[in-house]
Amino acid sequence: MASRLPLLPLTASAIVAAASACGWPSSKPKAAMSLGCSEDQLTIQPNSTYSEIVSGCGKSDVMTLEGGSWASLRERVAFELSCPANQIDVKIISSSLYGVTGCNKKLVYKYVLNAGIVIQSVQDTGGTGPADPAAMTK
């Protein structure tokens, strides 16, 4: 009788590494375009299954692998708010919670496994400028 090896849990970085080895695309080109940086200026931190936190040039973004290509939270928010991408500020509150400000609005998005990034709340700042993203969770 053959013995079975125990299954070990995979970390987010192991999943992303395995995905890259299987021919899935790198998030670097999309992240570089989103943040306006060159790829060598980016710091990429595997976050969870199909999700990475990317920073560079003083900005942050959350990249998610959707349908075989990477999607940018920053670009999504710019579209949803009809706000120029250079006015969008993404703050990482936790590994699954992201505060976003832009065009006198602040939003909180949450990464949900098997669902992707979903909006949790929206607030109008009344033209007072960017709000403190840490206060969005209170």
Side-chain angles (χ1 to χ4, degrees):
M1 177 178 217
S3 65
R4 292 187 175 187
L5 294 175
L7 295 176
L8 300 175
L10 291 175
T11 63
S13 57
I15 292 169
V16 171
S20 296
C22 292
W24 288 2
S26 166
S27 66
K28 278 190 171 186
K30 180 74 170 181
M33 184 176 65
S34 169
L35 297 177
C37 287
S38 64
E39 290 183 24
D40 63 337
Q41 294 177 294
L42 299 177
T43 301
I44 298 178
Q45 174 187 351
N47 187 38
S48 58
T49 308
Y50 311 116
S51 167
E52 297 178 342
I53 294 174
V54 182
S55 59
C57 301
K59 298 178 253 179
S60 297
D61 201 352
V62 180
M63 307 299 291
T64 54
L65 190 59
E66 300 175 2
S69 62
W70 290 97
S72 160
L73 176 60
R74 174 181 293 281
E75 290 177 359
R76 173 182 164 179
V77 172
F79 173 79
E80 288 176 349
L81 296 182
S82 298
C83 185
N86 65 350
Q87 293 184 31
I88 301 296
D89 184 36
V90 177
K91 297 288 186 201
I92 309 305
I93 298 170
S94 72
S95 63
S96 63
L97 201 60
Y98 320 112
V100 182
T101 57
C103 295
N104 299 320
K105 300 252 189 254
K106 64 180 179 178
L107 306 96
V108 176
Y109 287 85
K110 184 173 188 167
Y111 181 82
V112 178
L113 188 62
N114 298 324
I117 295 179
V118 296
I119 194 162
Q120 184 165 328
S121 68
V122 179
Q123 186 175 16
D124 189 337
T125 61
T128 60
D132 177 9
M136 289 187 266
T137 60
K138 295 179 181 174

